[in-house]
Amino acid sequence: PAWTLGHLVGAADYGLAVLGKTTLAPEGWAALFNPGTVPDPNRATYPSKAELMGAYEAGHAAFDAAAAALDDARAAAPNPVG
């Protein structure tokens, strides 16, 4: 579950980047959770549940707000993130 939560934080960051917003995941989390990483069975590898949940909630709230404020021109634009 820790890797999955962290991966979902990364997904929110990707969405924020696509919408031209500042990403929120703590430094170093990409190396733990981005696509291509493999879950580590050692729970100590990952941040605490409180840290993961805080980052998840903050990232998804920021993405929700950014998506709600998205104008039609931006929504129709090509994906700026490669």
Side-chain angles (χ1 to χ4, degrees):
W3 183 88
T4 301
L5 283 171
H7 188 71
L8 292 172
V9 170
D13 261 14
Y14 179 81
L16 288 167
V18 167
L19 298 180
K21 303 298 182 185
T22 301
T23 58
L24 302 177
E27 185 150 344
W29 281 29
L32 292 172
F33 302 117
N34 272 7
T37 61
V38 177
D40 186 335
N42 180 4
R43 176 61 183 91
T45 299
Y46 300 112
S48 70
K49 179 182 176 184
E51 290 173 294
L52 288 162
M53 290 304 300
Y56 173 86
E57 291 168 359
H60 284 266
F63 178 75
D64 287 347
L70 187 64
D71 63 35
D72 290 340
R74 182 69 186 227
N79 183 345
V81 179

